Amino acid sequence: MKLSTKGRYGVKAMFELALSTALNDEPVSIKMIAEKQNISEYYLEQLFASLRKAKLIKSIRGAQGGYVLAKPPKDITVADILNVLEGPVEISDCISDEDSSCSRSGYCATRLLWIKIYDSVNQVINSITLQDMLNDYYEMQKTNILQRGE
Amino acid sequence: MKLSTKGRYGVKAMFELALSTALNDEPVSIKMIAEKQNISEYYLEQLFASLRKAKLIKSIRGAQGGYVLAKPPKDITVADILNVLEGPVEISDCISDEDSSCSRSGYCATRLLWIKIYDSVNQVINSITLQDMLNDYYEMQKTNILQRGE
DNA sequence: AGATATCCTATCTTTTTACTCGGAATTCGA
DNA sequence: TCGAATTCCGAGTAAAAAGATAGGATATCT
């Protein structure tokens, strides 16, 4: 069970936008993020297209353009991002699909299991916002400075 | 984020073996399970080969042979099964890999996120054993009988 | 002996993932 | 107004993973 690069790149990129929002609210270009993360510009472009259609980010076209978050970081959860890029978390079909094969006698015990895993993941990603990640990040920086004297 | 059929078929099949263990301790053949679950015998055979090598099940060859659990249901967790069939749960590389790209400045916040999701999933699957699933199943049957009169 | 199973390895198809490309449209700044 | 920077859009493609199939060897029960 692993996220694809879409989810991983996407969350990192959104975090990048959140950092910029907090700092100076200037648009960030795909090029800059792609360089920072060392990934393909073209590929990231596609991810951003999805995020824009889902209204999580806004684009500013033309020179010196780029992207900004469409909402404050506190109003964007990790689940919002992952749902767009990875599709909804579905451990197994039979969570939603009542009439699938696993609704037969004897298989409900596994269905209950999938639901437990599903709930667990969703509880985490629904509760963590970009703002929370920013806070963690600031906290981490502070700690590092104290410990390493950098 | 979704389990592949390997994980889903595998857990269901192991549950099937657990039911048999509890009932009469007789070996169950691949054919029986494949029919019950309506999936390919050949495919299931491969999954069982992995589970056997991981010593989660034992095989009994020859006519009237089949498979049985290698340990009591209470000693087999869902994580044991999923680790064999899906590989370990890795939300992202950078949980384990300290020197990956995400260890650069600015990306540690996402790493923390992956760890939180990872821990959450693992907590669930490590804590649920086949015995727990059996208990849930018996409980569910009891309730259904009372409610539906079947 | 014959039926029933596992065991082992190889192959094949389909789907998904990850990535690339070319060019149009838009906007800023000089 | 020109040109550079940038998003926007649709198409294409290579590699990997998932899912499934096949055939024959080996073991064991009746």
Side-chain angles (χ1 to χ4, degrees):
Chain A
M1 195 161 35
K2 191 173 174 177
L3 288 178
S4 70
T5 56
K6 283 186 190 172
R8 285 182 281 139
Y9 294 172
V11 171
K12 277 191 196 175
M14 288 292 281
F15 178 70
E16 218 49 61
L17 295 189
L19 271 177
S20 163
T21 299
L23 195 63
N24 53 20
D25 218 7
E26 274 180 13
V28 186
S29 71
I30 282 180
K31 199 175 180 184
M32 286 179 61
I33 296 182
E35 273 172 14
K36 230 178 177 174
Q37 296 190 5
N38 199 31
I39 60 174
S40 153
E41 240 180 280
Y42 298 110
Y43 189 46
L44 194 56
E45 199 179 301
Q46 289 174 7
L47 306 189
F48 272 41
S50 302
L51 292 168
R52 186 175 55 82
K53 278 168 197 155
K55 295 197 197 304
L56 295 181
I57 59 180
K58 276 187 301 192
S59 64
I60 292 148
R61 300 186 67 172
Q64 277 67 54
Y67 294 89
V68 292
L69 295 182
K71 297 185 276 191
K74 75 171 174 48
D75 293 333
I76 300 178
T77 67
V78 172
D80 290 333
I81 303 168
L82 293 182
N83 282 339
V84 170
L85 298 175
E86 302 265 341
V89 174
E90 284 182 57
I91 301 303
S92 168
D93 293 330
C94 63
I95 289 179
S96 46
D97 187 8
E98 292 286 345
D99 297 291
S100 73
S101 62
C102 59
S103 68
R104 297 196 220 167
S105 71
Y107 296 121
C108 297
T110 58
R111 182 164 178 267
L112 186 57
L113 170 67
W114 309 139
I115 291 176
K116 284 177 184 174
I117 300 175
Y118 172 85
D119 284 346
S120 169
V121 172
N122 273 285
Q123 198 277 326
V124 173
I125 65 177
N126 275 309
S127 70
I128 299 181
T129 68
L130 287 177
Q131 185 63 54
D132 294 325
M133 292 178 64
L134 284 175
N135 295 345
D136 283 346
Y137 177 64
Y138 294 141
E139 197 57 40
M140 213 150 42
Q141 279 197 321
K142 214 191 297 177
T143 312
N144 284 344
I145 287 166
L146 290 175
Q147 287 180 346
R148 299 195 199 150
E150 285 170 5
Chain B
M1 196 160 38
K2 192 172 173 177
L3 288 179
S4 70
T5 56
K6 284 185 188 170
R8 286 183 280 139
Y9 292 172
V11 170
K12 277 191 197 176
M14 289 291 283
F15 178 70
E16 215 54 56
L17 294 189
L19 271 177
S20 164
T21 299
L23 195 63
N24 52 20
D25 217 7
E26 275 179 12
V28 186
S29 71
I30 283 180
K31 199 175 180 184
M32 285 178 63
I33 296 182
E35 272 173 14
K36 231 179 177 175
Q37 296 189 8
N38 199 32
I39 60 175
S40 154
E41 242 180 278
Y42 298 109
Y43 191 45
L44 195 56
E45 200 179 300
Q46 291 174 11
L47 306 189
F48 272 42
S50 303
L51 292 168
R52 186 175 54 83
K53 280 168 196 155
K55 297 196 193 306
L56 295 180
I57 59 180
K58 276 187 300 192
S59 65
I60 293 150
R61 299 187 67 170
Q64 276 67 54
Y67 294 89
V68 293
L69 296 183
K71 297 185 276 191
K74 76 170 172 52
D75 293 331
I76 300 178
T77 66
V78 172
D80 291 333
I81 303 168
L82 293 183
N83 283 339
V84 171
L85 298 175
E86 302 264 341
V89 173
E90 284 181 57
I91 300 304
S92 170
D93 294 328
C94 64
I95 289 180
S96 46
D97 187 8
E98 292 285 343
D99 297 291
S100 72
S101 62
C102 60
S103 68
R104 298 196 218 165
S105 70
Y107 295 121
C108 297
T110 57
R111 181 163 179 269
L112 186 58
L113 171 67
W114 308 140
I115 291 175
K116 284 177 183 173
I117 300 174
Y118 172 85
D119 285 347
S120 169
V121 172
N122 273 285
Q123 198 278 325
V124 173
I125 65 178
N126 275 309
S127 70
I128 300 180
T129 68
L130 287 176
Q131 185 62 54
D132 294 325
M133 291 177 65
L134 284 175
N135 295 345
D136 283 346
Y137 177 64
Y138 293 141
E139 196 57 39
M140 213 149 43
Q141 279 196 321
K142 214 192 296 176
T143 313
N144 285 344
I145 287 164
L146 290 176
Q147 286 180 348
R148 300 195 198 150
E150 280 169 8

